[in-house]
Amino acid sequence: MLTRRQFTAGSIAVATVAVSGLSLRGLGCSGPGSSVSNADATVRLIVNGARVEVDIDSRSSLLDVLREQLQLTGAKKGCDHGQCGACTVHLDGRRIASCLTLAIQADGREITTIEGLSPDNGPLHPMQQAFIDQDALQCGYCTPGQIMAAVACVREGNAGSAEQIREYMSGNLCRCGAYPGILAAIQQAAPAIEGT
């Protein structure tokens, strides 16, 4: 588990490497059909249990790599500032805002997205089923992030009361206002998830 100081030091180091690695070649204009690539780093990730190797621009967010290069579009780009929670995924079992995480920071680490929460041909994850049972969605845009945050909320031991759930889910916004259903879904699924 990283301390705030270790995270800040690591972020500064990554940002320094990213900034110092910029080249004028990547900043210029190129015509149609140009073969100039902005890829300047390779990351090895474990995404939903599968090992992948991706060539990236070192400035790419994890969200952009997941959506644009790996075609895992469950995590949504809402605010792109870490304020709405639509991009929530798990990194080494902990929830993160993937829009604020550089993909290069995830090198060698395990990422779980909504697509990997339950097996392809198996039953839904208890939280996914609870969201359906409790009608905890309306437009559905925020739902993948809500579900990933809800699973983390329970696993972190923060689903002991309605007030506690509201507090730990406050970083995930639902513009449709499905909060009562989301709360009920977390309360329904918690006993099946606790301790997993």
Side-chain angles (χ1 to χ4, degrees):
M1 187 161 122
L2 290 176
T3 65
R4 186 179 304 178
R5 180 170 290 165
Q6 291 169 325
F7 174 79
T8 302
S11 297
I12 291 170
V14 169
T16 302
V17 168
V19 170
S20 65
L22 294 177
S23 67
L24 293 176
R25 174 183 57 88
L27 297 174
C29 296
S30 55
S34 172
S35 63
V36 174
S37 171
N38 286 333
D40 59 3
T42 300
V43 291
R44 290 158 193 84
L45 310 169
I46 304 165
V47 182
N48 299 329
R51 294 185 181 278
V52 296
E53 188 172 297
V54 187
D55 293 327
I56 64 164
D57 180 320
S58 60
R59 299 165 292 174
S60 298
S61 70
L62 180 58
L63 176 62
D64 288 339
V65 169
L66 290 171
R67 289 182 59 80
E68 295 169 16
Q69 292 184 255
L70 299 179
Q71 305 304 308
L72 296 171
T73 57
K76 303 295 190 248
K77 186 175 276 200
C79 67
D80 212 20
H81 295 289
Q83 298 173 344
C84 72
C87 67
T88 303
V89 299
H90 295 175
L91 180 64
D92 292 335
R94 296 190 61 178
R95 63 175 142 178
I96 61 160
S98 60
C99 72
L100 295 181
T101 305
L102 290 173
I104 204 160
Q105 289 176 294
D107 189 30
R109 299 172 75 186
E110 188 169 346
I111 300 156
T112 305
T113 68
I114 191 73
E115 292 91 347
L117 203 54
S118 62
D120 286 342
N121 296 318
L124 291 175
H125 185 277
M127 190 64 73
Q128 291 172 310
Q129 187 61 55
F131 265 65
I132 293 168
D133 295 346
Q134 297 297 330
D135 200 22
L137 59 129
Q138 288 184 36
C139 78
Y141 193 82
C142 73
T143 304
Q146 294 279 0
I147 291 173
M148 296 305 289
V151 169
C153 176
V154 173
R155 286 186 179 157
E156 292 163 3
N158 297 313
S161 68
E163 293 75 25
Q164 195 177 30
I165 292 169
R166 284 188 194 100
E167 174 67 26
Y168 282 88
M169 290 296 292
S170 64
N172 287 75
L173 304 179
C174 174
R175 301 194 194 288
C176 300
Y179 297 115
I182 293 168
L183 175 61
I186 295 170
Q187 290 171 324
Q188 175 185 320
I193 299 172
E194 287 170 342
T196 61

